[in-house]
Amino acid sequence: MSSLAGVGCGRAATNTPPPMPAAHTQQEERPFRFQPPIALAHVDDAIVRIASEVACTGTLIAEDLVLTAHHCVAARDHQGRTLRRDVDPEQISVELGGDYLPWGEVKVREIVSPDCGYSSGDGDIAILVLSRRLIGIPTLVPRLEEEPASREQVIPVGFGRCALSPDGIQRVRRIGGGVDAVAPSHFVAVASICPGDSGGPALSQDRADVVGVISASVMDADENTVGTSHFTRLDIWRELFSAAREIARGASPSELPPFRGCAAR
């Protein structure tokens, strides 16, 4: 993995508004080229774009599982306000490829999510069970056995685009920084985030695993602005990951031990 470039660089936010969900509410289609690259060897190929009622980012953590943020798959009313239910899985497309032209698309069979986090905050995590396995595409390992360490350097990655971004939709490694605080449901770091980055991974610089999910951030129109950013912890949702694996293997959600609860987090 390349080293973290420009830690602490970039223009800091000049005010302190509350962090906002980092989904892109204006869905923008990307034309397909329908041709996979010759080689899929780079670790970042595990990071995919999620197209639903909003545009977000996700991480392939198994051949048929994509990790993302819960608010990315929450249903919305005609005014764009989130509802306390998820969209139908058939409404979600996972786009493959990191450039402006994705080379493929796969549908979602099941959404595995908690009973909270529909508008970010506690429970802002979801795992998508894909309709088919993606053979040969790299996957990233979620850190489930321990919490992020204080001052650990994290690198956010996403398909977001700020208003002043010069390029079209593409996968970008953002300006990251050290973990400043670890709360019961999330951790905080100063990072550069754009709308559409929600659901993307916070990668550990040293361990190269996924330590969190991009949830909300203080943002402006400049992708070089760094601000207070919230990342959903993964280690408190081990039951959710276990349920997603069983559902991918063919189990019915009703057959599994409870995994959607939020009160004890």
Side-chain angles (χ1 to χ4, degrees):
M1 171 181 289
S2 59
S3 61
L4 180 62
V7 175
C9 298
R11 182 165 56 84
T14 56
N15 52 18
T16 56
M20 300 297 293
H24 204 307
T25 56
Q26 298 297 322
Q27 178 59 272
E28 183 178 348
E29 293 185 359
R30 297 191 295 166
F32 285 94
R33 64 184 180 194
F34 294 113
Q35 182 179 357
I38 296 175
L40 288 170
H42 196 280
V43 64
D44 282 4
D45 287 319
I47 302 167
V48 298
R49 184 172 183 263
I50 296 173
S52 181
E53 294 188 2
V54 295
C56 283
T57 303
T59 306
L60 196 66
I61 57 172
E63 291 178 337
D64 50 3
L65 296 176
V66 170
L67 173 66
T68 189
H70 195 184
H71 77 264
C72 291
V73 296
R76 284 166 166 75
D77 64 17
H78 64 282
Q79 293 182 327
R81 294 173 299 195
T82 55
L83 305 174
R84 289 192 59 81
R85 62 177 177 84
D86 295 336
V87 299
D88 294 332
E90 296 79 11
Q91 294 180 252
I92 305 173
S93 295
V94 174
E95 296 178 355
L96 310 176
D99 295 325
Y100 178 69
L101 298 176
W103 59 263
E105 180 184 62
V106 62
K107 293 296 185 180
V108 173
R109 174 164 62 88
E110 190 80 35
I111 300 171
V112 183
S113 59
D115 287 329
C116 52
Y118 295 95
S119 300
S120 77
D122 294 351
D124 196 11
I125 184 172
I127 303 170
L128 310 181
V129 180
L130 302 181
S131 60
R132 59 185 175 89
R133 298 172 69 185
L134 299 176
I135 308 299
I137 299 179
T139 60
L140 286 166
V141 177
R143 187 185 302 178
L144 302 180
E145 301 305 323
E146 58 183 287
E147 66 182 47
S150 177
R151 311 312 304 169
E152 180 174 8
Q153 298 293 309
V154 296
I155 309 168
V157 188
F159 280 88
R161 188 177 187 277
C162 288
L164 298 180
S165 298
D167 301 320
I169 301 169
Q170 59 184 350
R171 185 173 55 223
V172 179
R173 285 193 168 217
R174 303 291 182 195
I175 300 170
V179 174
D180 291 327
V182 179
S185 64
H186 67 276
F187 65 89
V188 179
V190 173
S192 168
I193 302 294
C194 286
D197 286 339
S198 268
L203 301 177
S204 169
Q205 178 182 348
D206 294 330
R207 297 171 54 171
D209 57 357
V210 182
V211 68
V213 168
I214 299 170
S215 177
S217 182
V218 174
M219 297 175 285
D220 65 10
D222 189 346
E223 63 183 14
N224 293 311
T225 297
V226 295
T228 300
S229 303
H230 291 184
F231 303 85
T232 304
R233 286 174 54 177
L234 307 185
D235 57 295
I236 63 172
W237 293 103
R238 288 190 290 270
E239 296 90 348
L240 197 75
F241 284 86
S242 178
R245 284 190 291 267
E246 293 302 318
I247 292 170
R249 293 169 183 159
S252 168
S254 62
E255 300 172 345
L256 301 175
F259 60 86
R260 300 187 188 278
C262 301
R265 305 292 168 181

